[in-house]
């Protein structure tokens, strides 16, 4: 495994790999790696001869500077995990390397970016698109891998690839959960032991709501989830929406979509956690 810090070096190395007709898989991350990230790496290794993982905490996607400052950074441990996982290259650029000049591009993903995360974190997805497009330009992968936990982000990335005509297959991978059901996230390491226990209520509520979907209306499911979270001291609901999984627009009735997804964001203490669940109403 090679750890590379500059765009020029990584590009040169990947040119050699392509000359040997090797397929390149790419897993962009912000580090603080966990089993969820490693599941993406495993899938990439199964699909491609070369796997590249980037570790870069991207400042342009944080609309809260405190959140950026507090984001966990564990580069040494991350690299050990990736070497054990058999990654070919780890790209660890500095902010100056990724942004030698300010990126002033403004993307339009309407209406995908106007709801949920886009509503509560203005500018977030523009920053995501800036950095992911830059990384795609550097790596030029055949396939790129993203977790479905960040469900809205995955939809945004697919739209960006479509808009920019990237010849890249975007592969969405299942949510990986901790024992008990909490969706794995780098932010989980900021939870205290007590908060981690409290946070289990999020996935438990989503799982329970799924068992009601065949007999409850959309509004009843939404009311149930909101009441359950509100009844758990230590949790503060930011939003819960049931949306069409393709358009991300809220639905009022199950028959409005063939792909209903419940998306939730909850604060546990000062840690912001996201999760989602696909509903089956047949």
């Amino acid at each position: 495994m090679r750890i590379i810090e500059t765009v020029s070096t990584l590009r040169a190395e990947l040119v050699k790999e392509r000359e040997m007709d090797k397929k390149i898989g790419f897993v962009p991350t912000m580090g603080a790696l966990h089993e969820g990230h490693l599941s993406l790496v495993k899938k990439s290794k199964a699909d491609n001869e070369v796997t590249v993982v980037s570790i870069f905490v991207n400042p342009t996607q944080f609309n809260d500077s405190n959140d950026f400052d507090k984001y966990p950074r564990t580069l040494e441990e991350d690299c050990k995990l990736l070497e054990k996982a058999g990654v070919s290259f780890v790209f660890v650029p500095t902010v100056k390397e990724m942004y030698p000049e300010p990126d002033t591009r403004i993307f339009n993903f309407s209406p995908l970016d106007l709801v949920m995360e886009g509503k509560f974190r203005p500018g977030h997805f523009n920053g995501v698109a800036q950095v992911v497009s830059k990384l795609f330009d550097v790596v030029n992968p055949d396939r790129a891998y993203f977790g479905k936990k960040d469900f809205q982000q995955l939809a945004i990335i697919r739209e960006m690839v479509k808009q920019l005509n990237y010849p890249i297959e975007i592969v969405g991978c299942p949510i990986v959960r901790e024992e008990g059901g909490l969706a794995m996230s780098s932010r989980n390491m900021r939870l205290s032991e007590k908060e981690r226990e409290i946070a289990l209520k999020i996935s438990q509520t989503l799982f329970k709501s799924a068992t009601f979907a065949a007999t409850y209306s959309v509004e009843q499911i939404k009311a149930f989830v909101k009441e359950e979270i509100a009844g758990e001291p230590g949790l503060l609901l930011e939003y819960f929406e049931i949306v069409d999984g393709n358009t991300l627009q809220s639905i009022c009735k199950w028959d409005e979509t063939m792909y209903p997804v419940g998306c939730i964001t909850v604060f546990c203490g000062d840690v912001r956690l996201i999760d989602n669940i696909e509903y089956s109403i047949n």
Side-chain angles (χ1 to χ4, degrees), residues 17 21-25 44-45 47-51 88:
E17 302 292 346
D21 291 325
K22 292 182 180 180
K23 295 295 184 183
I24 296 172
S44 176
K45 282 180 57 61
D47 294 345
N48 310 279
E49 289 84 10
V50 175
T51 291
S88 309

Side-chain angles (χ1 to χ4, degrees), residues 8-282:
S8 58
T9 302
L10 182 60
R11 279 181 170 154
E13 289 298 322
L14 293 178
V15 164
K16 297 175 190 175
E17 302 292 346
R18 284 193 203 89
E19 286 173 348
M20 293 184 280
D21 291 325
K22 292 182 180 180
K23 295 295 184 183
I24 296 172
F26 178 44
V27 181
T29 83
M30 293 205 297
L33 303 184
H34 50 69
E35 288 299 324
H37 295 109
L38 296 181
S39 72
L40 306 183
V41 170
K42 184 177 181 180
K43 176 63 174 164
S44 176
K45 282 180 57 61
D47 294 345
N48 310 279
E49 289 84 10
V50 175
T51 291
V52 181
V53 175
S54 63
I55 298 176
F56 178 67
V57 183
N58 174 42
T60 71
Q61 70 189 66
F62 287 83
N63 59 323
D64 181 345
S65 59
N66 288 329
D67 193 23
F68 174 75
D69 293 338
K70 291 179 181 177
Y71 200 87
R73 293 161 171 85
T74 56
L75 182 59
E76 187 175 342
E77 293 88 342
D78 292 345
C79 288
K80 288 178 182 176
L81 286 173
L82 294 175
E83 185 161 28
K84 187 176 180 181
V87 167
S88 309
F89 301 98
V90 181
F91 183 44
V92 289
T94 62
V95 172
K96 186 168 181 57
E97 184 70 16
M98 287 304 297
Y99 297 100
E101 297 177 358
D103 191 338
T104 58
R105 291 176 298 163
I106 302 296
F107 293 84
N108 181 6
F109 300 121
S110 178
L112 297 177
D113 59 345
L114 301 180
V115 297
M116 298 188 294
E117 293 297 286
K119 177 181 177 182
F120 286 92
R121 300 180 69 188
H124 169 66
F125 287 123
N126 199 75
V128 168
Q130 286 177 345
V131 73
V132 174
S133 61
K134 279 177 167 286
L135 289 167
F136 281 177
D137 289 339
V138 175
V139 178
N140 190 22
D142 296 280
R143 303 178 183 92
Y145 299 81
F146 296 84
K148 289 186 178 179
K149 178 181 73 70
D150 297 284
F151 189 82
Q152 188 172 9
Q153 174 179 275
L154 178 58
I156 294 286
I157 296 298
R158 291 190 193 282
E159 177 62 21
M160 183 196 78
V161 165
K162 185 177 170 184
Q163 288 187 12
L164 299 181
N165 295 313
Y166 282 123
I168 300 169
E169 178 186 350
I170 301 301
V171 182
C173 298
I175 297 172
V176 178
R177 298 184 180 276
E178 297 181 4
E179 187 176 352
L182 181 65
M184 285 194 173
S185 169
S186 300
R187 298 175 190 272
N188 290 359
M189 65 176 61
R190 291 177 50 200
L191 297 169
S192 68
E193 190 174 334
K194 183 178 180 182
E195 287 173 333
R196 187 176 290 268
E197 189 175 332
I198 292 170
L200 293 177
K201 183 71 173 183
I202 303 169
S203 57
Q204 289 170 353
T205 299
L206 291 181
F207 296 155
K208 197 170 181 180
S209 75
T211 68
F212 301 151
T215 54
Y216 277 34
S217 69
V218 170
E219 288 307 313
Q220 286 173 321
I221 292 288
K222 290 173 72 172
F224 167 76
V225 170
K226 291 175 181 179
E227 287 169 12
E228 288 290 298
I229 299 300
E232 182 67 40
L235 295 183
L236 178 63
L237 180 70
E238 186 167 75
Y239 66 79
F240 174 66
E241 297 289 347
I242 298 179
V243 304
D244 178 292
N246 294 311
T247 68
L248 303 185
Q249 301 308 293
S250 294
I251 62 170
C252 297
K253 297 180 180 179
W254 295 119
D255 62 9
E256 292 177 21
T257 179
M258 297 293 289
Y259 185 20
V261 181
C263 298
I264 194 167
T265 293
V266 179
F267 280 93
C268 184
D270 66 347
V271 182
R272 190 174 185 274
L273 302 173
I274 67 174
D275 203 344
N276 64 80
I277 192 166
E278 297 180 19
Y279 289 110
S280 176
I281 54 174
N282 299 321

